[in-house]
Amino acid sequence: DLPNEFLTEWSSFLDKHGYDGEDQLFISSPRYQDSPVLLLTRLRQNSGIGIKDPADIHHEQVLKRRQVMNQQLETALAQRFTRPFRPSRIRQRNAVLEHTMWIRNAPKLHAA
């Protein structure tokens, strides 16, 4: 038996976020509200020794992406006369990427 406080919070969480699911890009995939066991299994898999905080993983990925983008720009600037891509195009692409890399999660963030 679970404490009433947990059950109340659990119900509130599913009301707020239950539309999400493991494969949320496909409407045929079950949502957490359809099968809460999916979420409990996911939570269990993402806790314990050796599991990194998702915020830390995200931060590392953003830093790595920015390093690669800067490296590409530096390479283009160094190849003034033989460069296949203009630095202005690389800067433009980098700006677009910087503003769109989060977009995969945008629909579910704004659907609720």
Side-chain angles (χ1 to χ4, degrees):
D1 289 313
L2 296 169
N4 283 336
E5 183 181 356
F6 173 82
L7 294 173
T8 301
E9 291 296 322
W10 178 255
S11 179
S12 174
F13 178 86
L14 286 180
D15 287 345
K16 198 179 226 182
H17 304 286
Y19 59 87
D20 201 354
E22 290 185 15
D23 218 355
Q24 66 268 13
L25 295 178
F26 301 101
I27 57 174
S28 61
S29 295
R31 304 296 182 219
Y32 293 136
Q33 63 193 6
D34 302 328
S35 181
V37 172
L38 293 172
L39 179 57
L40 293 172
T41 301
R42 173 66 76 186
L43 291 171
R44 202 168 111 219
Q45 291 170 346
N46 288 299
S47 62
I49 298 172
I51 303 297
K52 287 179 112 177
D53 183 335
D56 292 340
I57 294 169
H58 171 73
H59 181 69
E60 290 169 7
Q61 290 172 340
V62 168
L63 286 177
K64 184 176 180 180
R65 183 181 77 238
R66 289 178 179 165
Q67 287 172 346
V68 169
M69 291 189 312
N70 287 333
Q71 194 173 39
Q72 290 171 342
L73 180 58
E74 289 173 14
T75 300
L77 290 169
Q79 298 172 346
R80 260 180 204 265
F81 302 107
T82 61
R83 61 181 170 232
F85 300 103
R86 294 189 323 253
S88 61
R89 296 290 304 243
I90 292 173
R91 283 188 194 99
Q92 182 182 16
R93 183 213 55 198
N94 289 352
V96 169
L97 288 173
E98 193 68 27
H99 289 95
T100 59
M101 292 304 290
W102 63 273
I103 210 158
R104 177 183 174 269
N105 290 323
K108 66 181 180 181
L109 293 175
H110 299 289

